[in-house]
Amino acid sequence: MADRARRWRARALSALALVAVWELTARWIHGLLFPTFTQTAAAFVQLLTLRQFWNALWVSHEALLLGFTIAAGLGIAAGLVMGRWPAADAFIDPYLAMFLVTPMSALIPVVILALGLKLLARTTVVALFAFAVIAVNTRTGVRTLQSEWLEMARSFGANERQLWRTIVLPGAMPSIITGLRLGLGRAFTGMVAVELLLVAVGVGRLILEYQGAFESGAVYAVIVFLVIEAVVLLRTLRAAERRLAPWAGLVATE
Amino acid sequence: MTRIRVTHALCACALAIASVAAASCRRPAPSTVRIRFGDLINVDVRDVPLRMAFDDLAARGYTVEKVYVSSSAMTTDLLIRGDVDIAMVNNQTVWTAIAKGAELRTVGPFTATTGVLAAGAAVQSCSDLDGKSVGAPGSTGLSPVLFRTYVERHCPGTQPQLVVMPEAQARTDALLAKRLDAAMLPGEELLKLQRGGKLPLHSLYDYASEFPDVQAEGLHVRRDWAAQHRGVLEEFLRAQLLAYRRVIQNPQVLYDESTRRLKIDADTAAAIGRSHLDMHIWDANGQLTDGNVQSTIDFLVKANAVPAGMKAAQVADLTFLNAVLDAIGREPPAPIAHGGRATP
């Protein structure tokens, strides 16, 4: 209990320090594009009352939701298959490696030109941003399963379906959720990148409009909202991980 | 005796130092003057005469440091913060910043805008734009305002779908891939596409002839910097206007300099240069007057692009430009580009 209180105190202090540094730096820089914390906070409150903001958020989140769902489905499936069967891994791995090292922003124009300027293209960009990291983490989760568990299950007569249900999926679950967490972060990046760099809709368009009008408090308010939303979603996934895989001790990384 | 010689020598030294100091007081010591010039990243033929002016300034001992930024808002912010001294930015952005309290002023011209609405074969007239997708650099700003005005003037009731794509290259690519039916592009970009012959593209309208008196872009400074560096600013504007006059009087200079500086082939350089010269985008007298600054403000106010009540004196200080024109003389005004229509 005391530990928890100490941790919260440390967090509050760190937040206060951040706010103080932000406020002082903005006052010192004195530019039109870098607002103070207080300006941002006021703009944030006002933003929440604007229908235009919620509409923009909905437009952006259509792509985020669809893209992330597709990336999660394909990424988990690919990761499981690659982790379980070396032949599949050999077949898919070079492309996955390419996905990992390719700067995704460079692919945005290609996707847009191939798929158009609407939801399909934006969804694909979000999915491309998130897919590889989910697949890699899922594969790692399957590969790091202890072979003794599988052998033991087989020796007790478990068939492939039972192996998946009782060992592979539960064992890989912590890594899958880690992949989803990392993938979600990337999906957010993809959503904003496509809207800022190529087709300005949703929150990206809002940010560009506020920037052009030097409403920097509003620009940062939108960004702060997205950061808060992403943090809440990531924490939700962490809570889901604790519930679905309480045995999780290992953390897979990108 | 020795003391007298030493005294004479000291006097001679003092005289020499004083005469050097006096000589340097007559003109500012340019070798110590650094001008930080903020500009957008896309350098094209429009920029060539200004680059020639930079060379002239360098030959006179000035150091012009170019700072390239990707957006007008960021360039304006750099100017406000003192990271650049003179910046080429679109007027609307700077005037919006002035309305928010920035101590900036428009002091000189850049060029008339060369923007066009490039369209494919399916769009031959304004009314053809109904329901068509049109690529725009932003949903606010001058280009969409001009576009809306064009539609209201020529085909009221027509409802094009505006697709905001901030990068000109992205709009070009989307137009070539037929993902857009029309797009707002720099005139040079369209000319290059037409010369490449990839798609039958044409200009539905160009801003310069449709809105001849709208001053889209200009040179801007901080007020305090301009007050402290009056001489430097006037030298800058003088070099700029003289370079503009050189290319107007001798287009071959423009073609050769464009080929050399932009690494484009001579035919393309000549085609773009000729087009720009035909549109009189470089004005020998700097094009800016209190009258056309005010009419641009009025136009932008009407389009809700800048706050109402703004006056030319609040955003522009043309005393530097006028002082330079007084010194180098004014040229007879050029005819209106393409026989353009009246200002809004």
Side-chain angles (χ1 to χ4, degrees):
Chain A
M1 198 65 185
D3 245 18
R4 204 180 157 88
R6 207 173 306 138
R7 203 180 324 149
W8 277 107
R9 217 173 13 249
R11 279 180 186 165
L13 271 176
S14 140
L16 271 177
L18 176 73
V19 165
V21 169
W22 180 347
E23 185 76 23
L24 292 174
T25 311
R27 283 175 192 275
W28 178 63
I29 287 177
H30 196 62
L32 273 187
L33 290 182
F34 189 26
T36 60
F37 173 78
T38 41
Q39 285 170 333
T40 307
F44 186 86
V45 172
Q46 203 193 357
L47 194 69
L48 299 181
T49 65
L50 294 179
R51 177 182 282 270
Q52 186 196 12
F53 169 66
W54 295 106
N55 287 343
L57 209 59
W58 168 245
V59 170
S60 295
H61 281 62
E62 277 179 311
L64 180 74
L65 207 67
L66 288 170
F68 181 67
T69 306
I70 292 169
L74 290 179
I76 292 172
L80 289 174
V81 168
M82 289 168 77
R84 187 80 184 96
W85 292 292
D89 189 35
F91 188 76
I92 303 172
D93 184 60
Y95 305 105
L96 196 60
M98 270 164 49
F99 261 109
L100 274 177
V101 297
T102 305
M104 283 298 152
S105 300
L107 284 183
I108 295 177
V110 180
V111 173
I112 296 284
L113 295 181
L115 300 176
L117 305 166
K118 300 209 169 136
L119 181 62
L120 175 63
R122 289 186 290 121
T123 301
T124 307
V125 169
V126 170
L128 284 176
F129 265 74
F131 164 75
V133 71
I134 297 173
V136 167
N137 275 284
T138 304
R139 178 178 63 182
T140 307
V142 178
R143 273 190 189 166
T144 49
L145 289 175
Q146 294 189 19
S147 55
E148 294 86 4
W149 298 349
L150 295 168
E151 280 161 23
M152 192 189 297
R154 275 206 199 93
S155 68
F156 279 103
N159 58 25
E160 187 68 22
R161 194 172 154 200
Q162 286 168 322
L163 277 182
W164 276 92
R165 195 164 53 81
T166 55
I167 298 189
V168 177
L169 284 176
M173 190 58 78
S175 294
I176 292 174
I177 293 179
T178 301
L180 290 176
R181 284 211 322 264
L182 292 170
L184 186 64
R186 287 201 162 200
F188 263 89
T189 310
M191 173 189 86
V192 177
V194 72
E195 291 175 2
L196 281 179
L197 296 177
L198 224 63
V199 186
V201 293
V203 289
R205 182 165 173 165
L206 212 55
I207 288 172
L208 289 173
E209 283 178 7
Y210 286 142
Q211 192 186 43
F214 294 103
E215 301 280 353
S216 52
V219 172
Y220 277 67
V222 175
I223 295 167
V224 166
F225 184 93
L226 291 178
V227 169
I228 291 173
E229 186 194 356
V231 168
V232 167
L233 286 173
L234 291 179
R235 293 197 76 86
T236 308
L237 277 175
R238 199 180 281 264
E241 180 181 15
R242 277 198 293 267
R243 200 175 175 83
L244 292 171
W247 56 88
L250 56 103
V251 175
T253 50
E254 213 174 311
Chain B
M1 196 65 183
T2 315
R3 191 187 285 172
I4 292 169
R5 255 188 236 139
V6 169
T7 311
H8 281 176
L10 281 174
C11 285
C13 277
L15 267 174
I17 291 167
S19 58
V20 167
S24 59
C25 280
R26 275 194 294 272
R27 278 186 85 68
S31 57
T32 60
V33 177
R34 183 177 62 138
I35 303 170
R36 295 164 304 167
F37 182 78
D39 198 356
L40 295 178
I41 291 168
N42 52 331
V43 175
D44 48 30
V45 175
R46 277 206 311 162
D47 299 273
V48 166
L50 195 55
R51 294 299 182 273
M52 289 162 55
F54 290 172
D55 287 353
D56 294 343
L57 285 166
R60 302 182 63 176
Y62 288 90
T63 305
V64 181
E65 282 179 13
K66 283 158 279 204
V67 179
Y68 293 111
V69 190
S70 62
S71 88
S72 297
M74 283 171 69
T75 312
T76 306
D77 197 51
L78 288 183
L79 189 61
I80 293 167
R81 285 164 38 190
D83 291 327
V84 296
D85 304 315
I86 304 176
M88 197 295 286
V89 193
N90 75 67
N91 293 333
Q92 188 226 343
T93 303
V94 172
W95 296 350
T96 304
I98 291 173
K100 298 228 167 236
E103 288 291 322
L104 305 179
R105 287 295 179 267
T106 303
V107 290
F110 178 52
T111 69
T113 177
T114 59
V116 296
L117 186 73
V123 179
Q124 292 295 334
S125 70
C126 179
S127 52
D128 289 343
L129 288 168
D130 200 35
K132 298 285 197 304
S133 55
V134 177
S139 55
T140 57
L142 192 64
S143 291
V145 168
L146 295 180
F147 177 68
R148 280 197 297 272
T149 311
Y150 168 79
V151 170
E152 279 163 23
R153 275 181 186 174
H154 297 275
C155 49
T158 302
Q159 305 240 308
Q161 305 284 318
L162 220 57
V163 180
V164 178
M165 302 179 80
E167 299 295 323
Q169 187 56 52
R171 294 195 297 282
T172 305
D173 291 344
L175 193 62
L176 288 176
K178 297 190 178 176
R179 296 289 175 189
L180 290 173
D181 299 301
M184 299 169 205
L185 292 180
E188 294 193 34
E189 197 62 43
L190 176 62
L191 265 170
K192 284 179 194 162
L193 293 174
Q194 286 172 328
R195 290 179 65 78
K198 287 178 184 162
L199 259 188
L201 294 173
H202 64 100
S203 159
L204 195 62
Y205 72 91
D206 63 80
Y207 301 162
S209 57
E210 186 69 30
F211 307 98
D213 212 21
V214 171
Q215 301 298 310
E217 290 156 321
L219 299 184
H220 313 274
V221 295
R222 279 184 317 286
R223 281 179 75 189
D224 58 349
W225 184 87
Q228 289 158 15
H229 299 85
R230 188 168 189 100
V232 176
L233 184 52
E234 286 179 6
E235 287 275 338
F236 187 97
L237 293 171
R238 182 176 180 275
Q240 183 194 13
L241 288 184
L242 291 178
Y244 282 16
R245 290 177 183 193
R246 268 170 65 202
V247 299
I248 293 167
Q249 283 156 12
N250 185 1
Q252 193 58 45
V253 173
L254 175 68
Y255 309 155
D256 294 343
E257 289 286 333
S258 301
T259 309
R260 183 173 73 81
R261 288 167 193 269
L262 304 176
K263 310 276 181 278
I264 52 178
D265 66 85
D267 287 346
T268 305
I272 295 171
R274 255 196 309 276
S275 159
H276 287 349
L277 287 166
D278 286 347
M279 290 164 72
H280 307 292
I281 71 162
W282 298 285
D283 189 280
N285 297 322
Q287 205 166 25
L288 273 187
T289 63
D290 286 326
N292 62 25
V293 169
Q294 188 59 53
S295 67
T296 305
I297 291 174
D298 295 342
F299 175 72
L300 292 171
V301 168
K302 221 186 298 173
N304 290 324
V306 296
M310 199 173 244
K311 295 284 167 224
Q314 283 173 266
V315 299
D317 180 353
L318 303 184
T319 56
F320 307 96
L321 180 66
N322 289 330
V324 171
L325 286 169
D326 290 343
I328 65 174
R330 287 172 168 78
E331 297 270 311
I336 294 172
H338 292 289
R341 298 166 193 84
T343 342

